[in-house]
Amino acid sequence: MGLGYIGLPTAVVLADHGFDVLGVDSNESVVDSINRGQAHIVEPDLDAALARAHKKGRIRASNTPEPADYFLIAVPTPFKEGHRPDVTYVEQASYAIASSLCPGNLIIIESTSPVGTTEHVRDLVSDLRTDLSFQSEGDPSKNVHLAYCPERVLPGQILKELVENDRVVGGLSPSCAEKARAFYQGFVRGHIYMTEAKTAELVKLTENASRDVNIAFANEMSLICDRFGIDPYEMIDLANHHPRVNILQPGPGVGGHCVAVDPWFIVDAAPDLARLIHLARDVNDSKPDYVVKKVKAAIESYPQSKVTVACLGLAFKANVDDLRESPAMEIARKVSAMAVEQCLLVEPNIENIPPDFKNQSTTNLATLKEAVEKADIFVLLVDHKSFLELDPQEFGDRPVIDTRGMLRRMWRGSRLKLKGA
Ligand code: SAJ
């Protein structure tokens, strides 16, 4: 249920491991694309794996579920007003599968969810299917089982990590967890740890909150470095030579649909206790505006704002096409609204300019080459591989606002190229 960044790769990996998979999605064009054997998202190796599974007839898509042995829910859980978790899609998926359920089925929720969601889903479906037993124990063949198993794959490495990562499966009972473990053993090479559903739900939120807090530390250090004229990337690199220090990388902010969202689910559930988690969110969320101020200052140093600004990258991180919660998008939107002659957006992973910029006649999608030729100011927002291959000398003496420590890597790359030559 749900053929997005997690659902589709999972469906493909399952198909690759011998399962017959029906992918269900409410979006007609997604369904059509998968039924043609084509992925609608950018993820390394996904196109080829989907085409293979499609050719073998192991995968098909539809907008309605059918009876099955396993129902895997991988729909989005965004937040609504006030950063409150919105589980509407999980609820809709649960309603949608209810009429297809049979005794012996296993429902697995993979969507990142607030603590208590697996029990909530059990209550929803058991209200609709009073003919079925959702008892935690008893004869397994007569019950419908429920488990929570968080996905923990890294966009950019999804196919590999789906198979190799350890998994945590949380059951509403030990037999639910056992059934889920047996399912994941069908395609996972990592270890499968069993626990209660609510523990597994919190494990997922904790993983991403931990990453967010650690990135916030790096981002805070980058502001402190800036004040003292110190290169934060060099400083962190050196600090990380300590055997017990491992600081993450500062950036333009934290994006994506996971790390920038999930910590709020903890804050929402325990606002009085989650003080550090809340503060980390604020630190990371304030970073885009800090970058925008720097761009503004650079623009103001040009006479009458006759200046062309190039924003390199819109995705939330390197080598993906995902623009959700992207700090690069937030920065580009604000730069594009400034009185500049032209704002050039360079994003090699998308074909059309995002709707956010449709009313900005001075903002256009450009190639890297065009941007390098035309721009007066460069804002390096995403460390896409193709950007890192640029010779930094091409910027000449034009200002470069580097939010990802890319210049260092470009210089290193160009020195290596020189050595190779
Ligand atoms: N980022 C930094 N500095 C860093 C690392 C990341 O600024 O040192 C930024 C990225 O640029 C991006 C954001 O953080 O904007 C998140 O990127 P990410 O690579 O940390 O994580 P995601 O969102 O792609 O995937 C995360 C992963 N979670 C953890 O690493 C704990 C992944 O394993 C999860 O499966 C995924 O969230 C998810 O779906 O929840």
Side-chain angles (χ1 to χ4, degrees):
M1 303 298 296
L3 292 171
Y5 284 91
I6 299 303
L8 179 58
T10 305
V12 167
V13 167
L14 284 167
D16 214 24
H17 284 75
F19 289 82
D20 280 318
V21 186
L22 173 70
V24 181
D25 201 287
S26 55
N27 185 327
E28 204 70 62
S29 72
V30 168
V31 168
D32 289 346
S33 157
I34 287 153
N35 283 332
R36 286 195 307 272
Q38 286 166 357
H40 62 288
I41 51 171
V42 173
E43 176 62 32
D45 305 325
L46 182 64
D47 284 325
L50 172 59
R52 223 172 28 237
H54 180 256
K55 206 167 155 205
K56 283 191 193 155
R58 289 248 176 245
I59 191 166
R60 64 200 167 86
S62 163
N63 0 72
T64 40
E66 293 172 11
D69 298 307
Y70 305 100
F71 292 88
L72 199 147
I73 299 178
V75 293
T77 40
F79 51 48
K80 49 191 178 191
E81 253 337 270
H83 297 119
R84 311 216 59 202
D86 179 357
V87 294
T88 311
Y89 296 120
V90 174
E91 291 173 345
Q92 283 170 353
S94 313
Y95 293 136
I97 61 175
S99 60
S100 301
L101 292 173
C102 301
N105 280 172
L106 172 66
I107 303 170
I108 300 168
I109 303 165
E110 285 208 5
S111 307
T112 303
S113 302
V115 173
T117 303
T118 313
E119 284 184 8
H120 176 55
V121 166
R122 191 242 350 253
D123 295 345
L124 292 182
V125 284
S126 61
D127 277 354
L128 290 174
R129 292 297 305 271
T130 47
D131 56 317
L132 291 173
S133 161
F134 292 84
Q135 294 303 316
S136 302
E137 296 302 342
D139 182 350
S141 62
K142 296 209 173 110
N143 290 330
V144 172
H145 296 79
L146 278 107
Y148 181 78
C149 177
E151 60 80 16
R152 29 164 60 163
V153 288
L154 196 71
Q157 304 186 32
I158 294 183
L159 291 194
K160 181 173 167 280
E161 292 204 356
L162 270 173
V163 173
E164 290 181 1
N165 286 1
D166 292 345
R167 300 296 293 247
V168 176
V169 293
L172 283 186
S173 68
S175 64
C176 291
E178 183 50 54
K179 205 165 158 73
R181 188 178 66 91
F183 169 73
Y184 282 100
Q185 270 178 337
F187 66 100
V188 169
R189 276 208 297 271
H191 193 84
I192 297 163
Y193 296 91
M194 292 190 289
T195 182
E196 282 181 74
K198 65 179 178 190
T199 307
E201 288 160 349
L202 190 58
V203 163
K204 169 66 193 186
L205 302 178
T206 304
E207 287 169 0
N208 282 351
S210 143
R211 189 135 173 103
D212 198 44
V213 168
N214 282 294
I215 299 170
F217 178 69
N219 276 334
E220 189 163 286
M221 286 317 303
S222 77
L223 306 186
I224 294 166
C225 283
D226 234 15
R227 177 168 297 173
F228 296 115
I230 292 168
D231 175 348
Y233 299 94
E234 184 196 4
M235 189 280 287
I236 287 173
D237 195 23
L238 294 171
N240 281 347
H241 281 284
H242 184 289
R244 284 171 297 283
V245 172
N246 188 9
I247 304 167
L248 293 175
Q249 296 296 297
V254 168
H257 198 65
C258 312
V259 176
V261 175
D262 304 353
W264 288 118
F265 292 14
I266 303 182
V267 174
D268 180 67
D272 52 329
L273 302 174
R275 291 180 301 152
L276 182 61
I277 297 171
H278 194 162
L279 190 58
R281 277 284 67 244
D282 289 343
V283 168
N284 288 333
D285 274 353
S286 65
K287 196 74 196 284
D289 274 339
Y290 182 80
V291 176
V292 169
K293 268 193 205 140
K294 283 187 156 189
V295 181
K296 192 162 180 271
I299 291 171
E300 282 168 0
S301 68
Y302 278 76
Q304 295 159 356
S305 301
K306 285 250 175 276
V307 55
T308 294
V309 182
C311 294
L312 268 54
L314 293 176
F316 84 94
K317 67 174 195 173
N319 309 321
V320 300
D321 66 338
D322 193 345
L323 307 182
R324 291 178 300 174
E325 313 291 330
S326 170
M329 277 288 287
E330 183 182 341
I331 294 164
R333 255 194 321 265
K334 289 181 176 164
V335 172
S336 141
M338 286 177 194
V340 293
E341 189 154 271
Q342 247 202 320
C343 178
L344 301 174
L345 309 174
V346 186
E347 179 42 77
N349 296 312
I350 61 170
E351 276 163 18
N352 301 312
I353 190 159
D356 308 51
F357 303 98
K358 283 268 156 68
N359 296 329
Q360 298 284 349
S361 58
T362 49
T363 301
N364 301 98
L365 216 49
T367 63
L368 182 58
K369 190 165 174 279
E370 284 161 353
V372 169
E373 275 164 19
K374 290 190 190 155
D376 303 300
I377 297 173
F378 295 89
V379 194
L380 310 188
L381 294 171
V382 187
D383 44 349
H384 286 313
K385 193 167 173 283
S386 57
F387 296 166
L388 295 174
E389 284 162 3
L390 198 70
D391 180 347
Q393 298 192 73
E394 297 217 36
F395 295 127
D397 55 7
R398 296 172 285 182
V400 178
I401 294 148
D402 180 7
T403 68
R404 298 248 186 205
M406 289 163 66
L407 281 172
R408 286 180 89 220
R409 287 185 270 168
M410 287 174 178
W411 279 112
R412 205 181 304 140
S414 66
R415 272 197 302 272
L416 285 178
K417 263 189 225 151
L418 271 182
K419 263 194 194 163

